[in-house]
Amino acid sequence: MAKPILISGIQPSGKLHLGNYLGALKNFVSLQNSGRYQCFFFIADLHSLTEESTPKEKAKQIMELVADYLAVGLDPKKSTIFLQSSVPAHSELAWILNTITPMGELKRMTQFKDKGGEAETTNVGLFDYPVLMAADILLYDSQVVPVGDDQLQHLELARTLARKFNSKFGKTFVEPKPLLTEIPRVMSLDAPDKKMSKSRPGGCVFLDDSPEEIKEKVKRAVTDSESVIRYDAKNKPAISNLMRLYGALSGDLMPDLEKKFQNMNYSELKLGLANTIANYFAPFRAKKAALRKQPKIIEKVLKAGNAKAQKIAAKKIEVVKKKIGVAK
Ligand code: AMP
Ligand code: TRP
């Protein structure tokens, strides 16, 4: 039996942080290596056009994100790695899905509201963003979509649109399911009640950060009152966030971490965490530095991945067009 199809994408819009890694990318790699899925990982460059950048910056961000994918362990021999904009069917299907999407569904989206919502100057792409995301997913008959929890609402729309299209035009799309990691929402180092996000760079540890930068940022992380190191997400959100990060990278369970730091203070925990992060990402930094010097490798990976994705997507969009009566 064919393996279930898995898809996910990330926008090329800046450096990846620990939230992206622990909420999504780390899972991409283990799911790929499990051998249980046919994996597709793409660069969501069309989505990223909703945020201001120059063409030069955009081209660089795309190359950087492919290098990130490869440096964390995505393997073009095992997964199809491609660029969203190189497969026209993503945009075509997004348009078709637009015609069955109620405005109300999109107006309710938290991300849309957070990013400007209905201000007169907000670009329409931000409003339509979840429909393009649904197209990305449905085009490949994806069953599984690994994402962080901020994407769950968008995924729900993909499920709704699949159902709606199927009931209107006959069974065409698969309803995709989200797949979360054990930390689907990493909190910001400078505000443990907000998710880690590149819009708050002070609260991010970026995967590219040097050991010195990591130490500096972790040192500045906010803490809670009461100096004991104890996992208690409700009453000690800041320390619990640091402990979760530590555990996710070291493999320690929370009771073991509590024991390890029993008689220590917050700065010792921070130092331990900074070292853990720095060591964990040492191979990543080395691999990425090497890839930066070999842009040809990146181009080759995309070229092969784009061709594979194009073949599948082109077939599917033809089926869709026939169903709705615009193609023979
Ligand atoms: P983005 O940078 O918004 O394209 O996000 C890429 C992936 O990282 C998506 O699957 C997000 O859900 C995930 N992600 C982003 N921020 C966080 C966070 N703070 N915690 C967990 N996952 C996150
Ligand atoms: N919206 C996602 C994010 O910001 C990126 C994305 C675009 C995506 N299309 C997708 C993720 C399809 C999963 C599946 O993180």
Side-chain angles (χ1 to χ4, degrees), residues 70-258:
L70 300 177
V72 292
L74 291 186
D75 177 353
K77 288 200 202 80
K78 297 180 185 164
S79 299
T80 303
I81 297 172
F82 71 99
L83 186 64
Q84 182 189 33
S85 66
S86 77
V87 182
H90 288 246
S91 309
E92 285 183 76
L93 182 57
W95 180 260
I96 293 167
L97 294 177
N98 272 336
T99 63
I100 60 162
T101 307
M103 295 254 286
E105 294 268 354
L106 299 184
K107 279 190 187 162
R108 269 199 292 283
M109 294 292 173
T110 314
Q111 181 175 301
F112 172 63
K113 289 195 265 184
D114 287 349
K115 290 195 172 175
E118 293 179 57
E120 291 289 318
T121 49
T122 300
N123 72 74
V124 177
L126 267 179
F127 183 59
D128 201 30
Y129 181 110
V131 180
L132 177 59
M133 179 161 162
D136 299 335
I137 297 167
L138 300 183
L139 201 48
Y140 296 86
D141 295 329
S142 319
Q143 276 157 272
V144 182
V145 186
V147 280
D149 86 340
D150 58 352
Q151 297 300 317
L152 290 181
Q153 207 183 10
H154 294 162
L155 214 72
E156 201 46 53
L157 178 74
R159 294 168 59 80
T160 305
L161 294 181
R163 268 198 303 274
K164 193 162 178 189
F165 190 100
N166 289 347
S167 73
K168 223 171 152 182
F169 301 105
K171 177 92 183 106
T172 311
F173 294 123
V174 172
E175 274 184 56
K177 288 197 182 68
L179 218 161
L180 297 177
T181 64
E182 61 283 14
I183 325 187
R185 174 172 287 252
V186 172
M187 307 316 280
S188 184
L189 292 186
D190 66 351
D193 58 332
K194 301 203 167 64
K195 70 167 185 180
M196 186 177 282
S197 153
K198 57 180 182 285
S199 60
R200 302 178 64 86
C204 291
V205 173
F206 295 107
L207 307 194
D208 283 328
D209 283 347
S210 67
E212 294 69 39
E213 286 168 314
I214 296 169
K215 219 166 270 174
E216 225 10 77
K217 283 186 187 166
V218 177
K219 206 163 122 189
R220 272 189 278 120
V222 301
T223 51
D224 306 301
S225 56
E226 182 206 64
S227 60
V228 59
I229 295 171
R230 173 166 62 82
Y231 186 79
D232 178 347
K234 190 155 171 264
N235 299 308
K236 294 176 73 72
I239 290 301
S240 300
N241 188 38
L242 299 184
M243 289 177 77
R244 259 195 313 269
L245 295 178
Y246 196 120
L249 299 177
S250 70
D252 290 312
L253 299 173
M254 291 306 118
D256 300 330
L257 277 184
E258 285 178 349

